[in-house]
Every structure is written in structure tokens, then in C-alpha cells.
Amino acid sequence: MSKHEAEKKGLEQTAIDIFVELYNRNHEHPLRFVQQQEKPDALLEDVEQNLVGLEVTHLFYDSEEARLMMSRSELTLPGTEVLDQFIKVINDRVRGKEEKYREYSHEYPCMLLIRNVSLLFGMSDVLGRKKKLMLPRGQFREVWLLSRDFTPDWLLVNLYEIDGGCYHV
């Protein structure tokens, strides 16, 4: 496994761990991590032993910010007008994952987890532009946004229930 692939798998595993912890704190029926895999990235199981897939994607503002997160660059902060571009990045990512979903096993339902690791935009930025978010067309059972909001705590919101509250540590 290449260094890049190992970094990607490590980021995915961390996102899965945070997701399961937050989900279980806020839901009556917990999920359990079964295994990390490909298409989808993880396999989870509920208390009735029903399987559910979890596809994970990491969201950076752009490739320059991604390199910064991997300690490979310096980043200058953009102006506030780029928030709409960030929302477009989210929408493009969701559409791309919907296309990729067609290649998955459909033996069990699948959820999408979007982990926002942007240093520039937090949960409140995204939810403040929620009317510009293009929700998935129902291929994923649930679509979760995992993000910080300029604090150490991770927040979790189901985009299908976007008018509901955020789940947080």
C-alpha cells in the first residue's frame, strides 16, 4: 500500500470511528463497526445484525488546503465570497459519490458520510447555506455531515433531516 493510500485509509478509519461514537451517543439503536473495505468504505452492523455500508468522503476547500492538512503547503485565507464555492464543492462531491454508488454491492443499504476537515469553513457555515445544498437523490439511506465549528468538538447532522438539530460531543 502506498503512503498516499495508507493516509487515505487512516483518514477514513478516523472518520468512521468519530461517526460511530457520535451516532451511538445520539441514537437509541447503536451501530457497530464490522470492517473497513472498498465500495463502500466501511461495513457497520445494527443491534439486529442488519448490515449497512458507509461511504466516506473528506471535504477540503480545495487541493491546496488538502496539501496543507497533509503538511505539504502554506495556505493564504480566501475572502468570504468563496463560501458559495465551498458549497459547490460539497454538491459536486455528493453527485460524484452518487455516481460511484452504482458500482457498489446492493446487498445492504448504504449511508454517505461527508467529513468536513476544512480549516476555513465549519458546520455553521454549511448550515447557513443549507438552501444551496443539493441533497442526494435518495440513493444513500442517510447522508451525514461530520464537521467541527471552530471548536475541538465534532458535530454530526443528517442532511436528510437538515431542519433538525446537530448531534455533537
Side-chain angles (χ1 to χ4, degrees):
M1 181 182 303
S2 72
K3 182 179 177 185
H4 173 75
E5 190 64 27
E7 287 175 343
K8 181 179 177 240
K9 289 292 180 194
L11 284 171
E12 287 173 358
Q13 186 63 57
T14 299
I16 294 162
D17 292 344
I18 295 168
F19 170 79
V20 169
E21 178 184 346
L22 287 176
Y23 183 93
N24 289 346
R25 284 186 186 185
N26 293 285
H27 289 84
E28 192 173 310
H29 303 287
L31 295 173
R32 179 182 72 82
F33 173 76
V34 176
Q35 69 183 20
Q36 194 170 7
Q37 59 181 34
E38 291 293 326
K39 296 182 183 179
D41 296 313
L43 193 57
L44 307 175
E45 182 179 70
D46 67 17
V47 292
E48 297 172 352
Q49 297 183 329
N50 296 310
L51 297 176
V52 62
L54 184 67
E55 178 65 19
V56 178
T57 188
H58 283 84
L59 188 60
F60 302 93
Y61 168 65
D62 60 16
S63 60
E64 185 65 21
E65 187 179 36
R67 284 190 291 275
L68 174 69
M69 292 294 293
M70 300 293 190
S71 300
R72 296 186 188 130
S73 179
E74 292 182 22
L75 181 68
T76 56
L77 296 177
T80 57
E81 72 279 356
V82 299
L83 181 53
D84 286 337
Q85 178 61 30
F86 186 66
I87 297 299
K88 181 182 180 314
V89 170
I90 295 172
N91 291 335
D92 291 347
R93 187 65 51 89
V94 168
R95 294 291 175 252
K97 289 295 181 177
E98 284 182 316
E99 290 297 317
K100 187 178 174 185
Y101 179 78
R102 295 183 180 142
E103 303 170 12
Y104 295 178
S105 165
H106 295 277
E107 297 173 25
Y108 40 79
C110 189
M111 300 183 293
L112 176 61
L113 175 62
I114 304 167
R115 182 182 180 205
N116 174 20
V117 290
S118 174
L119 301 173
L120 306 176
F121 303 110
M123 180 70 81
S124 61
D125 294 316
V126 175
L127 295 181
R129 296 284 202 283
K130 65 185 175 185
K131 291 183 182 190
K132 293 187 178 199
L133 287 174
M134 294 198 270
L135 294 180
R137 298 176 209 127
Q139 293 188 27
F140 293 101
R141 184 176 89 177
E142 295 169 345
V143 177
W144 296 94
L145 177 63
L146 178 64
S147 181
R148 288 189 167 127
D149 208 27
F150 309 107
T151 70
D153 298 332
W154 286 100
L155 307 171
L156 182 66
V157 66
N158 183 344
L159 293 181
Y160 285 152
E161 300 170 356
I162 201 159
D163 289 331
C166 284
Y167 303 114
H168 57 87
V169 177

